[in-house]
Amino acid sequence: QIVEELVAAAEQVAPAPVVYAVPGSPLVGERSVELLRADGRVDLTLVPALSFLDLAWAALGVDPLAEGVRLVDAAEFAAVTASERGPFLVAQCWSRHLLSEIKLTWPEGDVSPPRPVLLHHLGLQDEVVVTVDWWDLDRTIEPDHLTSVYVPAAAAAAAQQNAAATEVGRLVTLMDTLRARCPWDQAQTHLSLMPHLVEECYEVLDALGTDDDGHLEEELGDLLFQIVFHARLASEAGRFDLADVARSVHDKLVHRHPHVFGDIEVHGPDDVVKNWEAIKKSEKGRDSVTDGIPSSLPALMLTTKLARKAGSVGMEPSRSGPEDVRAAWTALVSAASARQPDSDDPLDAETTELSDVVGELLFVVATLAQRAGVDAELALRRRALALRAEVRAAEGVPNQEFPNR
């Protein structure tokens, strides 16, 4: 409406100019000026002026570049703090309602919120610069369009945490709706969802191998939904719910980090792993460090985990020496050279002497890779994807961007 009135005035008095004055700089927080600059019906000349930002930095004694301060509109505070940590200078705090919305981003029940700074009428005779308690943010002054708030980084971090809790809560509410109204979601069980859980895990692994943050965010969301779904099914059966799941993993991680939350001293990552294994074995009442490792893991991953467990009890995973490995390799090369299989020939799933030879070779490679700090599963995946690229190149098919780890 402002733009339309200004354009009409300009057309009426042209070629004489119309002067439109705004408080502070016309380039900071002035939406009407932004719209005028994009309006082709008028020619616009901008006259620079002192910004309220310069007065704010002086009042706060803050170098915004050194502190990494982010300028935020009050109406966007909750959305921005969901993904950024601050500190923030929140402008356009023109009503108590907006100040209340900022205040309510802090998690309820927290007894140690930060102390924000109210900045009101900077540069004027009734200027107010006052540090207040967080819960008095909307009770101290009567705000207007010349009111801002400086929010320390600690408050921004808490707002981000609160935003995460809010969004997870919305997801749980959506799950309630789907179970009540969607026939497909109503029909699902833990068993029927198993293939989807496996698929989502692999899609997350693929996304981790790219630089596409949007894709990774989406796939992590899909995996989170599977967790929420299984927790909901358990809740309906009266067993546990999502809060129990979160509480359980939280308490477990605290207990397994006595060097962080207790008085245990460690001297590097190896000590942490040893403590972890000892605590885990005690918690579970397990007889062996191998208890709890899923047998259905991919074979290279299973070998790597078992080799690590073997090392934790002083065992050498592989009994094969260099001569054994050379003999096995020679036998495998000889057997492979004698055959020329078609591309669609089925693989022999039966356990044979040659199968045992292949297994031993792969086992030795995986255990040596584990000792060298190389993930054999990911290394082989990279090599397989390189082969896929080579095959596509030989076919003259443009290569796609495949995850490389």
Side-chain angles (χ1 to χ4, degrees):
Q1 183 179 347
I2 291 173
V3 169
E4 291 304 321
E5 291 184 11
L6 288 170
V7 170
E11 291 174 340
Q12 183 177 353
V13 302
V18 169
V19 177
Y20 174 46
V22 298
S25 169
L27 295 174
V28 179
E30 293 294 342
R31 176 64 173 160
S32 58
V33 176
E34 182 182 342
L35 294 173
L36 280 169
R37 296 181 73 184
D39 198 309
R41 295 173 292 175
V42 292
D43 294 325
L44 190 68
T45 300
L46 285 172
V47 181
L50 184 68
S51 165
F52 82 97
L53 294 176
D54 302 292
L55 300 174
W57 308 139
L60 292 167
V62 165
D63 179 348
L65 187 63
E67 297 294 331
V69 183
R70 169 83 145 85
L71 179 62
V72 183
D73 188 285
E76 303 296 327
F77 182 75
V80 172
T81 55
S83 58
E84 299 185 30
R85 300 184 65 86
F88 297 105
L89 182 62
V90 190
Q92 315 272 29
C93 302
W94 50 267
S95 73
R96 288 183 182 270
H97 173 74
L98 284 170
L99 291 175
S100 295
E101 291 294 316
I102 295 171
K103 180 178 75 174
L104 293 175
T105 58
W106 187 264
E108 186 177 357
D110 194 302
V111 296
S112 57
R115 291 171 57 80
V117 182
L118 281 168
L119 305 166
H120 183 68
H121 287 194
L122 294 181
L124 302 181
Q125 290 185 346
D126 59 345
E127 172 183 296
V128 175
V129 178
V130 57
T131 301
V132 299
D133 289 335
W134 183 263
W135 302 113
D136 290 334
L137 194 57
D138 56 349
R139 303 171 183 171
T140 305
I141 62 172
E142 188 60 46
D144 58 28
H145 64 290
L146 298 181
T147 302
S148 303
V149 178
Y150 179 69
V151 182
Q160 183 176 4
Q161 179 183 10
N162 195 45
T166 299
E167 293 305 323
V168 172
R170 291 180 64 220
L171 184 58
V172 172
T173 301
L174 174 62
M175 185 75 258
D176 295 341
T177 303
L178 295 177
R179 285 290 286 177
R181 301 182 186 177
C182 175
W184 187 89
D185 290 283
Q186 290 171 340
Q188 300 312 304
T189 65
H190 288 302
L191 186 62
S192 69
L193 289 173
M194 284 175 61
H196 301 286
L197 179 59
V198 172
E199 181 179 350
E200 297 301 348
C201 288
Y202 278 110
E203 289 182 358
V204 168
L205 292 176
D206 273 357
L208 287 170
T210 73
D211 295 323
D212 188 340
D213 289 344
H215 181 44
L216 177 57
E217 177 185 326
E218 178 186 358
E219 297 303 341
L220 286 172
D222 291 343
L223 181 57
L224 175 61
F225 180 70
Q226 291 297 313
I227 295 170
V228 171
F229 209 147
H230 282 282
R232 174 56 194 257
L233 293 177
S235 176
E236 291 174 358
R239 295 158 55 196
F240 58 83
D241 60 16
L242 187 63
D244 295 318
V245 172
R247 186 183 307 108
S248 174
V249 70
H250 171 277
D251 294 348
K252 178 174 70 176
L253 290 173
V254 169
H255 185 238
R256 293 187 186 178
H257 287 76
H259 53 288
V260 176
F261 302 103
D263 54 5
I264 300 297
E265 292 188 9
V266 295
H267 304 284
D270 290 342
D271 283 355
V272 174
V273 173
K274 289 178 182 177
N275 285 342
W276 180 283
E277 293 297 344
I279 295 170
K280 186 175 179 180
K281 188 174 180 180
S282 174
E283 284 177 351
K284 302 291 186 180
R286 290 171 174 168
D287 298 322
S288 169
V289 294
T290 66
D291 291 345
I293 298 178
S295 300
S296 56
L297 283 175
L300 285 177
M301 190 181 299
L302 176 63
T303 301
T304 300
K305 287 185 73 70
L306 289 173
R308 188 181 301 120
K309 298 295 185 182
S312 72
V313 296
M315 277 187 58
E316 175 60 45
S318 177
R319 296 183 299 272
S320 297
E323 292 301 324
D324 299 317
V325 172
R326 276 193 286 269
W329 175 254
T330 301
L332 178 59
V333 170
S334 176
S337 301
R339 294 192 58 198
Q340 293 294 329
D342 293 330
S343 59
D344 293 329
D345 277 0
L347 296 175
D348 186 1
E350 296 296 325
T351 301
T352 63
E353 184 177 347
L354 186 58
S355 175
D356 290 340
V357 167
V358 172
E360 183 62 24
L361 283 172
L362 292 174
F363 183 83
V364 169
V365 170
T367 54
L368 289 176
Q370 186 272 329
R371 178 182 293 180
V374 174
D375 189 319
E377 183 79 26
L378 296 182
L380 182 57
R381 184 179 301 277
R382 276 196 296 270
R383 183 61 185 90
L385 292 176
L387 175 60
R388 174 157 58 180
E390 293 165 9
V391 170
R392 293 176 69 88
E395 294 172 322
V397 178
N399 257 315
Q400 299 176 359
E401 187 66 32
F402 294 112
N404 59 8
R405 63 180 189 274

